[in-house]
Amino acid sequence: MSWAYRHLLRPMLFAFESEDIHDRTLAALALAGGQPPLCEALSACFSAPELPVDLLGLRFPNPVGLAAGMDKQAAAVPVWEALGFGFSELGGVTWHAQPGNPRPRMFRAVADGALVNRMGFNNSGAEAMAARLRAWRQQGRWPRHPVGVNLGKSKVTPLELAAGDYEQSFRALRDLADFFVVNVSSPNTPGLRQLQDKAALDDILAALQAAQPAARKPILVKVAPDLTFDALDEILELAGPRQVAGIVATNTTLARPVPASPALQSISSQAGGLSGRPLRQRSTEVIRHLYRQTRGALPIIGVGGIFNAADAWEKITAGASLVQVYSALVFEGPALAKSVVTGLAARLERAGLRHLRDAVGVAAG
Ligand SMILES: Cc1cc2nc3c(=O)[nH]c(=O)nc-3n(C[C@H](O)[C@H](O)[C@H](O)COP(=O)(O)O)c2cc1C
């Protein structure tokens, strides 16, 4: 399928503008999500083998998840399980509905497996997402895998009122998802990354923990790959006091690789966050650092440039207990999760390990 996707389907899809084809694909997947026979057909082609992970008090059927940003509106919730993902992170969602930045705002360099985006949290707001999540549940179409929600800050909300903005989204959604990710690392909302500063992040986490429902939900923090190790360490200092359940590492980068191929050069000049293959190495370095600093005590979800099982294995052995993909799904197509999970299971066997958790951090040093 990967071959067929890359050589037959992808050239047709990539003839369209990036966001245009993203929207059309999501609309088709949303339709499929509401049709059990279509989901079953997808599942027959793309479901992944079991490779269970117990983490965050949840059971993940496999460690490969859908990263935030792909399904910002919770439009296709049942489909991600049918495509073999072991979990999905919906959003980023903000308290206020907002259009995001002017289009075009997503650019691809095919030869490099890279994207630059400056979407700016285009979404219909937390209450609209809550209504959609309720509707999927009422239709009996809720997936069996864990579902997370990525929380961002509304553009209209000043930085000093950020905590309240995140809190309102959390209150609207807290009973409807299994875990939450505080996104303070998107480069596309002015000033957002300043919320990674210890005091600002402390305020946000305090507000969210105070708003926990009776059945507490794991709250993770998503970090930027551009933070220094010192800045990452400051965030880790909040983990204990604010009961941070884990770190998602990493978001897209503002850095641009040098030297770059002509295709990469052409998208590098665009403002926004770079994702895909050029992000892989830095994201792994961040994971390794976080794992070493916490001696493996804090769960890490590794994301950034994972295209195959070898990339996922690199993240896991650096310290990630789960991984996520976004860009590779665009470039490699719908068989991606199945192929990564299958490859991970084979690697585990070759390494003579019984559980994936036995591989976590073995190459962290
Ligand atoms: C178009 C696009 C939109 C994204 N939107 C979000 C978002 O809303 N929230 C978030 O935390 N990360 C967002 N991301 C970042 C991804 O979740 C992921 O961290 C990043 O792309 C690195 O993974 P990858 O190399 O597999 O793409 C977005 C990425 C892309 C390409």
Side-chain angles (χ1 to χ4, degrees):
M1 176 66 195
S2 264
W3 186 92
Y5 176 81
R6 267 202 304 272
H7 293 92
L8 302 174
L9 189 56
R10 193 174 81 176
M12 285 194 285
L13 297 177
F14 281 13
F16 291 89
E17 188 269 322
S18 302
E19 188 173 351
D20 192 24
I21 196 58
H22 178 269
D23 290 348
R24 286 169 194 249
T25 307
L26 255 288
L29 293 177
L31 214 66
Q35 304 291 328
L38 285 178
C39 273
E40 279 160 30
L42 287 175
S43 188
C45 297
F46 301 120
S47 74
E50 285 276 311
L51 188 58
V53 176
D54 292 308
L55 198 78
L56 310 173
L58 300 166
R59 165 145 282 218
F60 297 78
N62 74 62
V64 180
L66 179 78
M70 180 65 76
D71 191 357
K72 283 180 186 282
Q73 324 271 2
V77 170
V79 163
W80 308 117
E81 181 185 33
L83 293 182
F85 288 103
F87 63 108
S88 45
E89 187 179 327
L90 309 171
V93 68
T94 55
W95 173 240
H96 296 286
Q98 54 184 42
N101 290 319
R103 293 167 85 147
R105 52 193 179 178
M106 196 200 292
F107 309 89
R108 50 184 180 234
V110 180
D112 304 271
L115 298 171
V116 167
N117 91 84
R118 52 168 177 272
M119 308 301 287
F121 289 146
N122 53 306
N123 79 103
S124 46
E127 285 183 330
M129 182 189 268
R132 264 189 304 276
L133 295 183
R134 274 194 205 95
W136 287 120
R137 283 176 189 273
Q138 279 158 9
Q139 291 166 42
R141 306 290 300 127
W142 196 253
R144 279 157 303 181
H145 72 197
V147 175
V149 170
N150 182 278
L151 303 174
K153 182 190 75 69
S154 313
K155 192 175 179 188
V156 293
T157 302
L159 282 182
E160 57 277 17
L161 300 180
D165 193 82
Y166 283 92
E167 184 192 334
Q168 276 175 295
S169 296
F170 181 61
R171 283 185 187 278
L173 292 157
R174 62 190 175 183
D175 297 320
L176 296 163
D178 299 304
F179 67 92
F180 290 84
V181 178
V182 180
N183 177 9
V184 278
S185 49
S186 165
N188 300 314
T189 296
L192 188 89
R193 289 175 156 211
Q194 292 171 35
L195 298 173
Q196 291 176 120
D197 289 346
K198 194 174 171 190
L201 184 56
D202 192 39
D203 279 352
I204 296 169
L205 292 169
L208 296 186
Q209 294 297 4
Q212 281 278 16
R216 298 178 65 83
K217 296 296 165 84
I219 295 176
L220 296 85
V221 175
K222 186 163 179 179
V223 297
D226 307 325
L227 288 178
T228 62
F229 285 168
D230 285 346
L232 289 167
D233 292 347
E234 290 211 351
I235 290 178
L236 290 178
E237 284 170 21
L238 295 174
R242 292 296 176 211
Q243 296 163 57
V244 174
I247 304 283
V248 182
T250 65
N251 214 313
T252 57
T253 179
L254 285 174
R256 299 292 186 260
V258 189
S261 72
L264 193 54
Q265 234 165 23
S266 74
I267 66 165
S268 280
S269 58
Q270 294 289 345
L274 175 69
S275 61
R277 277 204 188 96
L279 175 60
R280 197 198 87 223
Q281 192 182 346
R282 176 61 190 168
S283 146
T284 302
E285 282 167 13
V286 169
I287 292 164
R288 190 176 296 117
H289 176 78
L290 294 169
Y291 185 87
R292 279 186 189 156
Q293 290 301 95
T294 58
R295 295 188 175 82
L298 190 64
I300 299 167
I301 300 181
V303 51
I306 297 174
F307 276 64
N308 51 42
D311 299 335
W313 186 252
E314 177 186 274
K315 294 278 190 281
I316 290 165
T317 55
S321 295
L322 298 168
V323 296
Q324 292 177 318
V325 295
Y326 185 127
S327 301
L329 189 57
V330 173
F331 292 110
E332 301 292 313
L336 178 71
K338 179 181 184 172
S339 117
V340 174
V341 178
T342 307
L344 280 177
R347 273 168 188 267
L348 210 57
E349 201 175 317
R350 250 183 283 150
L353 302 172
R354 278 191 59 203
H355 301 287
L356 201 70
R357 62 171 179 267
D358 301 330
V360 174
V362 295

